[in-house]
Every structure is written in C-alpha cells, then in structure tokens.
Amino acid sequence: MSGGPLPQQPNNGGPTAIASLGAPSDPSPISITLSANLSDTSQAEMAIDRILNASVDERGARANVEPHSRPESVAPVPRSARLLRDMHGKFMYVGDSASLSFVQSVRRMVLSAIGECDFTNDPSRHQIIEPTPQTAMQMPEMSPLQLDPEDCKRLSRHYLLAASGLIEIFDAPTYFRYLDQWVVDKARDNDLKSAIFYMVLAIGAQVSSTDGDQTLAEKYFNRGRYMAVMTLTDAPSLLTIQAYLCITMYMLGACRRNAAFMQFGIAVRAAFALGMHKSSTHTLFDETEAGARRRIWKSVRVLDVFLSASLGRPPATSDLSMDRDKNVTEEVAQATSTDPFSTKVLALCNIFERIVIDVYMKKAVSTRLADSISSQYRDWTSDLPDSLQLASLDSSEDDLESLTKALAASHIISAYHWSIILLTRPFLRFQIIKDMSRAGQNLETNDQVEQSSIKTYADACVDSSLRSLNIASTLMQFSSLPHRLPFIINSVCNASLVLGAATFADQDKFLPLEDGLEQGIKILDHFAQWDPHAARYAQIITYLQDATKTYIRQRSEKSLESRRSNVTRLFGTIGQQVGGAEGTIQDQNIGLVAPANDIGTASPLESVNIDPSLYTRPALMADLFPLMNAQGELPGLIEGGFYAQAQPVPGVMADGPGYQDDAYYFMDQDLSMFGFC
C-alpha cells in the first residue's frame, strides 16, 4: 500500500488461465542417468570422456579447457526432478533444487547403505501435501462484517510480525492510518483497498496463537480474494500487486505452494506492466510512490526466489532485477542506500537466482563457478547492518519488539545459509557417494578424508545446516512466535536432510549430526500442530533419523567384528561362531571377486574402489556411473582434474568413533570463503 492516496478502479471480472505441460529437454552428459539395463558401454564412456574434458565457466555453461588454464572439478547435479501427485491426484512438477527432490536422492543413498526401511518405503513419498479447504470452492458470504478496531490492529501486527525482514508491501504507519478510517466506514466493501485489508487480517489470523482464528482467517481470505479477483485483476496497479502478494503469502502459510505459485504469477505480470523491474522508472514518481514501488518490487523478488528454489521451477523475474539495470540514476542509488536492509535482501536474491539458473538449471556446478559465487557471499557479509548480525538474535526479552527484530534477522540469515546449502549440496552428495563406496575398507582409513575444494564445499553444506538449525532454535525462546513460518520451516527441513545424508559418509564421528537431527525434529514438531508441511517434514526427518541409527548400529557391528578378528588371531576363540570372528578370518583367505556387471567383466575386488554390493543396487549405480572410469573404478576427485587421492585431515579422530574437540572449529576456520555470519 503506497504512501499516497489510493486510486479507485472499476469493477471487472477475472481472467481464466490454461496450463500445459511441455516436453522435457535433452539430457546433459554431465548428469547421465544409468538405466536398469545399460548396454551401450562405448557411448557411455564417450559421454564420460566429454565430462572429463569439459569445464563449467563462471556462468555455468560448459566450455573447453584452455591449454594453460587450471582445470577444475565438476560435481553433477542429480536429475531428481519428477512429477508428484497432489491431493487431487494431479501431477505437479518438482525440480532438482526442491527439498522433496533431495529427499528422493537421499532415499537412494539410504537404500544402498542399509536396504529398505521406513524412510525408503514411505507410503507418501510420491505425493505432495497440498490441503485444500472445502470453503475455497464456495462463493463467500458477502454480508457486512462487524469489525472490532482493536482486533484488526492486533491481527495486523501479527501480519507484520510474520512478514518481518522479507515482505514489505506497504509503509506500516500509512497502513494503520488507513486502517482506522476503513474499520469505521460502513461502506468499506465498496473501497478497492478492502481486498488488501481483508487479506492482511486473514494472514494475521492465520499465524495468530488462538485456534479459533483459523476459521476467521478463511472468512477474511475468501472475502479479500473475491474482491481482488473481481476488482483488481484486469487493470494492473500497485493495489493489484499488493493484493496478490498477500494472496501468495496466505497460500504459503496454508501449505498450498502450487496455488501460491499460480497466484504469484498475476503479481509478477502486473509488476512488469507497471515497469517496476526497471529501477530507472522510479524516478518518474514522487518519493512516496517511488518508495512504495521499491518496497513492492523487493517483495516480488523475495517471493519469486523462494518459490523457484523451493519448488525447483524457473524464476519469474530472472535477469530483471533492478540491481542489474545499468541505467540506475544517482537519485535511485541514493534512495536505495538509505535502506541497507532492503539492499542486502535484494543482493541475496541475486545470489539465489544465480544458483538456481547456473547450477540447477544447467545440471552441474564446478569449483570455478562455486568460487565465483562465494566471492559474492564475501561481499554480502562484508558490511552487514547491525540488524543482521548474529548478536541481534540474542535477546533476554520476550516482547513483541524483540521478537520482530529477531525474526527479521532470522529470516535473512536463514535464507543466506539455505542458499549456501543449495550451492554446495551437489558437492556434498558427490562426497557422500565417494565415502560410501569405501565402506568395505578398514575403519581407520575411513576416517581419512581428502582435503580439496570439493571437500571444503561439502563441509560448507553441513556447516550451514548446523548454523541454520541453531538460528531456528533461538526463535523457540519467544512465546509469541507465529505458528506458521514457511521460510523458517523450509530452512529447517533442508538443513535436517543434509545432516541425515552426511551421516552415511560417517561425518557423525566428528560433527554433532545426531544432535542436529534431534534439534530439527523438535523445531518441526513445534510447528506441526498448526502447519501440515511441518508435520510432513517432521515425519520424513524422523524416518531419516531412524535410518541413520540403523546405519550407525550396523557400522558399529562391522567395526566390532573387524576388531574381534584381530583379537582372535592372538588368543583364539571358544566354540563355533557363525558369522563371527572365525568367519571373518576365513573370509580373508578367500579371493573375493566383484560380480560381473554392464561396465566390464569380473575383476579382483582389490582393484575396485566400490563396495561390491553397490553393483546390485541400480539406484546408487545411477549416481556413481558418470564418475567411473572405463574399468568401473571410482578413485575420486582431485584438484585440477576429476579424480583424486585421499589425504588425512588434521583435527579428525583416527582412533575410533567420537567427537574431536576442535574438529568442528577446524572446519569452521576453513570455510571463510562464504564470510559466514
């Protein structure tokens, strides 16, 4: 809602949209998917050669390596995008960056590590939780409502609290001034501003602490949306964008992301129609309206990158950010500099956009591209305002003002860590698969992981996940915390998935991954009583936690068996032990041979760097195949090439399970490339 007078518009009908599903694009050789019965080995080897002889430039496109340039390592982005059924049985597209796609990738890892379990056999794994209230299909009752001015102010403050830090579609003092006039106006439903007022009240009721407000929220929402469709759709205006941004926010809070994605499209097109994607157009208006346009465009950008990254779909405002407009005037630059908070939010949106486009849409991330993006992170963290420092999260007061400041900072810092998770997740996944392939080696050698750029970026993914969970836990101290926070819930889910996946690379030996999973489940359980997405995520992470416990138990049994075999050599054993130490000694005298496969003929196990059991598991083989050489070996990555040798990491325990006191801090110091805040 702009600071100046709000214009009236005629009553018009709404448009009808028709959606169509396009054909998939050609697969990239960097992200080869291995079919269940691969037969054309030569073609696959040629594809791998193309991978080894290609690199990814700063924008992520594949280019030939120059003769004297430093070769780089490339981590493929898994093709986890798929169609999932919604609650009505319709198929919806979920892209590679989405958390549900990463869940599927982690399921393949778990299946290869421990076999089938509740996590891999989740009966809801092919569905999207999209609750649709029955009242949404009904014509809202439009008789005049009796509104209490104090209740309206209370709900409006709840709205501002839930949107703090990210969404800013109007100036708060101006809004409350208009609200006082609107509440007492008997003919308020004839005012075009009513659609926005009803939507703000609906969001406030949605996130409030009383259960009865949810019915009231639906009543306000249905009335406000009906007014928006009937009066604000045909002629684009600031009111149109504000109303549909509010509709999008309400849909996100109601766990209806596909509905939010559709409604958001109207807001974006209206913003384009008004030229808000060009910052130079703001100078044509007085400062009041120019400020409103900048606030609204920032909100458009925030919701766009969140929806595109969380659903794995192309951004709607790609390459159209006003920060990328080269014709920015001095007046606009000066106006933007007066609000460093908004400037940082827009800069973070640009980083998000680059990750979605250059990494997930191009199916690969190179160390060169990651280095380039990490320099943007360092610039972003170099001059953070005080309101975005971690100190702003620590508060001994449990009041509305302290919560507003903490929640605003938490939204931005959590988004910062989520973006790092998205950037580095392919590196972590590659490292996990490499470490899992060495599962048959001696326990002490498993504790030795290579020091390389790939490993550093993988560590950054885990570190950002731990930090993100700590930020969300800090918010739990506030008793008046809103009950529906989709941005925080999304960050907690992604962070928890990363910690669960990292456990299968044995990183729990020197990082507090188990504590982190407990922390994530506790946070999700807190929101689960009101938020269906939080309840679903809590169920998924609980299944994953059970799978990690099974893996840790099996790992301990294997370790015990290995150590007992050495003791038995010295002291012997009493009685027959089926599958015990004697069996282990006998197995050591048998020449194990890897089973035949589609890649090559049988070969001695010692020359193969992959757990033989992986050959019978097509799910993980599909992930490993692009990384193997012609002999079916997976030696690993190296600096300056695609493969590497293992090197010990200082600070990591090599004597057995347990935490090394300074291991986490050692890794923390090694991740300065992102300028962690």
Side-chain angles (χ1 to χ4, degrees):
M1 193 170 294
S2 63
L6 299 172
Q8 300 291 316
Q9 294 183 6
N11 192 352
N12 296 299
T16 301
I18 300 177
S20 60
L21 181 64
S25 59
D26 293 335
S28 166
I30 288 188
S31 53
I32 301 172
T33 301
L34 181 66
S35 61
N37 52 353
L38 179 65
S39 58
D40 194 347
T41 306
S42 61
Q43 182 179 1
E45 292 176 354
M46 292 174 59
I48 295 176
D49 290 337
R50 289 197 299 271
I51 298 174
L52 301 181
N53 296 325
S55 70
V56 181
D57 63 14
E58 188 174 290
R59 292 292 298 167
R62 291 186 298 275
N64 292 330
V65 179
E66 298 178 1
H68 301 291
S69 65
R70 171 185 168 276
E72 59 191 336
S73 299
V74 179
V77 173
R79 287 185 178 271
S80 301
R82 54 195 181 130
L83 293 175
L84 298 178
R85 290 186 182 273
D86 64 6
M87 304 301 288
H88 301 286
K90 297 189 297 292
F91 285 107
M92 298 293 170
Y93 175 79
V94 177
D96 294 319
S97 64
S99 56
L100 290 180
S101 294
F102 186 53
V103 170
Q104 184 68 7
S105 181
V106 176
R107 283 196 181 104
R108 293 200 294 264
M109 299 179 192
V110 173
L111 184 63
S112 299
I114 64 173
E116 294 185 352
C117 61
D118 289 340
F119 181 70
T120 61
N121 298 332
D122 185 355
S124 301
R125 63 187 179 278
H126 302 305
Q127 291 182 338
I128 299 178
I129 303 300
E130 291 278 328
T132 303
Q134 295 181 356
T135 56
M137 305 300 295
Q138 301 174 1
M139 173 75 179
E141 204 279 319
M142 297 300 294
S143 60
L145 295 177
Q146 296 294 327
L147 300 178
D148 180 25
E150 291 303 319
D151 282 343
C152 290
K153 290 181 181 179
R154 177 182 64 85
L155 295 179
S156 297
R157 286 191 291 267
H158 278 292
Y159 161 83
L160 292 173
L161 182 62
S164 58
L166 295 178
I167 311 300
E168 187 182 10
I169 65 175
F170 47 71
D171 177 64
T174 303
Y175 167 83
F176 281 105
R177 186 169 64 251
Y178 278 112
L179 178 66
D180 292 337
Q181 302 171 7
W182 177 79
V183 171
V184 298
D185 186 2
K186 299 299 182 181
R188 58 176 171 267
D189 286 354
N190 296 326
D191 188 349
L192 291 180
K193 299 188 296 293
S194 294
I196 297 176
F197 283 122
Y198 281 127
M199 290 305 308
V200 169
L201 297 179
I203 297 172
Q206 184 188 55
V207 303
S208 63
S209 58
T210 57
D211 296 334
D213 280 348
Q214 297 308 310
T215 301
L216 185 62
E218 282 295 319
K219 180 186 296 185
Y220 286 148
F221 172 73
N222 290 332
R223 180 175 292 238
R225 182 174 61 171
Y226 176 80
M227 290 181 173
V229 171
M230 299 303 295
T231 62
L232 299 175
T233 303
D234 290 348
S237 66
L238 293 183
L239 287 176
T240 303
I241 307 172
Q242 290 170 324
Y244 278 93
L245 288 179
C246 286
I247 293 175
T248 302
M249 291 175 60
Y250 185 90
M251 293 290 192
L252 286 175
C255 302
R256 299 164 62 185
R257 290 192 180 181
N258 285 303
F261 187 79
M262 295 180 63
Q263 300 297 323
F264 177 71
I266 299 178
V268 171
R269 293 304 174 186
F272 289 165
L274 298 182
M276 297 178 66
H277 58 291
K278 294 294 183 180
S279 59
S280 55
T281 63
H282 302 330
T283 60
L284 303 177
F285 302 89
D286 59 57
E287 182 53 35
T288 299
E289 185 151 357
R293 290 168 64 92
R294 284 193 292 268
R295 285 193 300 268
I296 293 174
W297 179 250
K298 183 196 80 169
S299 302
V300 169
R301 285 285 289 165
V302 168
L303 287 175
D304 182 34
V305 297
F306 175 77
L307 287 170
S308 62
S310 62
L311 294 175
R313 298 169 186 172
T317 58
S318 176
D319 290 326
L320 294 173
S321 167
M322 67 179 186
D323 284 356
R324 296 187 179 183
D325 189 350
K326 297 181 180 180
N327 298 320
V328 179
T329 63
E330 294 181 1
E331 292 83 0
V332 173
Q334 182 179 3
T336 305
S337 63
T338 60
D339 186 6
F341 197 95
S342 295
T343 303
K344 287 298 182 182
V345 172
L346 286 171
L348 188 59
C349 288
N350 291 339
I351 297 177
F352 257 108
E353 179 187 295
R354 189 177 180 190
I355 294 171
V356 172
I357 294 176
D358 294 347
V359 175
Y360 286 92
M361 292 182 65
K362 297 187 178 179
K363 306 300 181 184
V365 56
S366 67
T367 52
R368 181 189 302 174
L369 174 62
D371 290 343
S372 175
I373 297 178
S374 67
S375 67
Q376 292 181 254
Y377 282 109
R378 292 193 296 274
D379 294 339
W380 192 85
T381 58
S382 61
D383 56 347
L384 285 177
D386 293 338
S387 56
L388 283 180
Q389 299 294 341
L390 286 176
S392 62
L393 300 178
D394 298 329
S395 176
S396 58
E397 302 293 333
D398 187 4
D399 54 53
L400 185 61
E401 182 180 359
S402 299
L403 174 58
T404 301
K405 293 179 180 179
L407 191 54
S410 298
H411 273 144
I412 305 302
I413 300 176
S414 294
Y416 160 79
H417 286 298
W418 178 36
S419 66
I420 294 177
I421 291 173
L422 288 179
L423 172 64
T424 57
R425 207 165 65 187
F427 295 112
L428 174 68
R429 181 176 169 278
F430 186 96
Q431 190 67 43
I432 291 173
I433 293 176
K434 264 188 92 267
D435 292 343
M436 288 175 63
S437 71
R438 297 196 300 262
Q441 296 181 3
N442 187 274
L443 183 64
E444 282 73 13
T445 61
N446 280 345
D447 285 334
Q448 314 224 344
V449 288
E450 47 278 85
Q451 277 287 330
S452 64
S453 294
I454 292 287
K455 184 62 176 66
T456 301
Y457 282 118
D459 287 344
C461 188
V462 178
D463 183 71
S464 287
S465 300
L466 292 169
R467 293 173 185 263
S468 184
L469 290 172
N470 288 335
I471 292 171
S473 294
T474 303
L475 292 176
M476 297 298 107
Q477 65 179 319
F478 294 98
S479 59
S480 55
L481 186 68
H483 289 168
R484 293 173 186 254
L485 295 173
F487 296 94
I488 298 297
I489 292 173
N490 177 78
S491 296
V492 171
C493 174
N494 280 274
S496 300
L497 287 172
V498 167
L499 299 187
T503 302
F504 293 91
D506 297 337
Q507 294 192 26
D508 60 298
K509 296 178 180 178
F510 52 92
L511 290 175
L513 304 187
E514 295 180 73
D515 294 340
L517 280 175
E518 289 284 355
Q519 196 176 33
I521 293 174
K522 182 178 180 180
I523 296 171
L524 293 173
D525 282 339
H526 171 80
F527 292 104
Q529 50 190 319
W530 307 286
D531 191 299
H533 272 174
R536 172 61 179 148
Y537 292 152
Q539 182 185 47
I540 292 174
I541 303 305
T542 300
Y543 286 157
L544 179 58
Q545 183 189 44
D546 293 340
T548 60
K549 291 179 179 179
T550 300
Y551 171 76
I552 293 173
R553 183 177 66 254
Q554 292 179 358
R555 184 184 66 194
S556 299
E557 292 173 354
K558 291 180 181 179
S559 174
L560 177 61
E561 193 68 24
S562 176
R563 295 174 185 271
R564 277 182 174 175
S565 65
N566 296 328
V567 173
T568 302
R569 288 193 184 95
L570 295 175
F571 301 102
T573 185
I574 298 177
Q576 182 67 25
Q577 298 185 8
V578 180
E582 291 182 348
T584 304
I585 296 176
Q586 294 174 1
D587 290 342
Q588 293 174 350
N589 297 324
I590 300 176
L592 297 180
V593 177
N597 54 81
D598 295 327
I599 299 177
T601 58
S603 57
L605 181 61
E606 288 75 17
S607 65
V608 180
N609 290 327
I610 305 175
D611 185 347
S613 61
L614 298 181
Y615 283 92
T616 62
R617 296 166 183 167
L620 188 58
M621 284 295 296
D623 299 328
L624 292 173
F625 182 74
L627 313 176
M628 298 178 189
N629 56 23
Q631 287 73 39
E633 299 174 346
L634 182 65
L637 285 173
I638 59 170
E639 282 287 329
F642 205 71
Y643 294 100
Q645 300 298 324
Q647 297 177 4
V649 177
V652 177
M653 272 183 117
D655 298 329
Y659 298 128
Q660 175 75 2
D661 291 340
D662 59 347
Y664 181 77
Y665 300 100
F666 172 82
M667 188 184 75
D668 185 19
Q669 296 171 2
D670 198 31
L671 301 179
S672 59
M673 64 179 68
F674 293 101
F676 279 126
C677 60

